[in-house]
Amino acid sequence: MGTKLIIDTDPGVDDAFAIALAAMSADVDLLGVTTVFGNVPLAMTTANARRLLQLCGRPDVPVAAGAARRLVYGGERNGKVHGADGLSGRAGSLPEATRPLESQDAVSLLVSLLEASDEPVTIAPIGPLTNIAALLAAHPGVRDKIARIVLMGGGVARGNITAAAEFNIWADPEAARRVIAEDEVPCVMVPLDLTHRCAVDAAWLAKLAASGPIGEALDAFTPDYLAYYRRVLGYDGIVMHDAVAVAEAINPGILQTETYAVNVDTTDGPARGMTLVDRRIALDDPESAPGRRIEVATDTELDGLREFVLSRLTGSR
């Protein structure tokens, strides 16, 4: 078996694509899925994750529910892009999950899976980083069992939930700052700047829908998402944010990265949730570049990335 992987998620249309990408890849050992508030409230993200795994024929994968709110401040605002149930009103069309929800919480499942693994595990957080921050703070002994964290979040030159902040980071900036600052765990940040460039068009979605029941179901989740991105992109297409990060998690190097100092704005102002990515060349003085140096995904072979995701989702690889 190939990459050992845990996904932390808030499904979400792009999360659905990302979960399916991992679940349907034969070279991925999907150890578990943990859920967090985000695109919709926790009860919905958890139900969506369990039923998506059932759709993909993976009831063997355990699911545990995690944080229902951010670490510090309450009053979360869920995303509106994905529809009221996170899947454009189509969550009810998914098969019922046959595997019960794990009785332990998300952090406890993460700890048990990491401790039981015979080799380091990649964690792909593709929602707010609350669960992962709690894991690293409360269980520092598992850091050596984490191969790397590949997170979808942040922006180098843009935001989406605000002018400055990307949704996953904005949803819990204190958690994001804690995770990104974790010196002992390699981290790759996959930002909006790149995921938007990896958008797929109607022809790509048509190929997915024609591939079989799973592809048809995934395409059926996109109407609300498509309506939003039609305005953003100017054509019929969607941005698969989370699937881009999971592609890197399961196929290291499919995204090109650069090492930058990254910090997260946790102030209570208009820049709250902004990822400050310092791209200056002369950074010999650490004080000139506050923030931990991590890998930031900056480029990919776009058609190759799109084909990689499509081939995995359609079983044509």
Side-chain angles (χ1 to χ4, degrees), residues 114-178:
L114 290 168
E115 290 182 339
S117 178
D118 57 1
E119 62 185 73
V121 177
T122 298
I123 300 178
I126 53 177
L129 287 156
T130 316
N131 292 336
I132 309 306
L135 170 71
L136 294 172
H139 301 276
V142 303
R143 290 178 297 193
D144 290 343
K145 302 302 291 284
I146 302 173
R148 60 180 185 153
I149 292 172
V150 182
L151 68 91
M152 190 280 129
V156 176
R158 60 175 301 170
N160 60 1
I161 191 69
T162 73
E166 179 274 332
F167 177 79
N168 287 344
I169 305 298
W170 171 88
D172 195 340
E174 286 78 14
R177 186 168 183 169
R178 175 65 179 79

Side-chain angles (χ1 to χ4, degrees), residues 102-228:
E102 297 299 299
S103 58
Q104 58 189 327
D105 61 85
V107 172
S108 297
L109 179 62
L110 285 162
V111 172
S112 63
L113 291 174
L114 290 168
E115 290 182 339
S117 178
D118 57 1
E119 62 185 73
V121 177
T122 298
I123 300 178
I126 53 177
L129 287 156
T130 316
N131 292 336
I132 309 306
L135 170 71
L136 294 172
H139 301 276
V142 303
R143 290 178 297 193
D144 290 343
K145 302 302 291 284
I146 302 173
R148 60 180 185 153
I149 292 172
V150 182
L151 68 91
M152 190 280 129
V156 176
R158 60 175 301 170
N160 60 1
I161 191 69
T162 73
E166 179 274 332
F167 177 79
N168 287 344
I169 305 298
W170 171 88
D172 195 340
E174 286 78 14
R177 186 168 183 169
R178 175 65 179 79
V179 172
I180 288 173
E182 180 55 68
D183 288 333
E184 297 185 39
V185 179
C187 182
V188 179
M189 185 179 91
V190 182
L192 288 175
D193 313 75
L194 180 57
T195 60
H196 268 262
R197 293 175 54 212
C198 299
V200 296
D201 60 15
W204 190 98
L205 290 169
K207 291 178 183 177
L208 175 66
S211 67
I214 296 175
E216 184 178 11
L218 290 171
D219 179 65
F221 300 147
T222 63
D224 287 1
Y225 203 57
L226 189 64
Y228 172 81

Side-chain angles (χ1 to χ4, degrees), residues 17-34:
F17 279 60
I19 290 169
L21 174 60
M24 298 173 67
S25 291
D27 56 352
V28 173
D29 186 1
L30 185 57
L31 300 179
V33 171
T34 52

Side-chain angles (χ1 to χ4, degrees), residues 55-68:
L55 171 71
C56 295
R58 296 299 307 273
D60 58 299
V61 178
V63 177

Side-chain angles (χ1 to χ4, degrees), residues 8 40 79 113 147 186 190 229 233 249 263 271 274:
D8 187 72
V40 286
L113 291 174
V190 182
Y229 277 108
L233 298 171
N263 210 334
M274 178 182 181

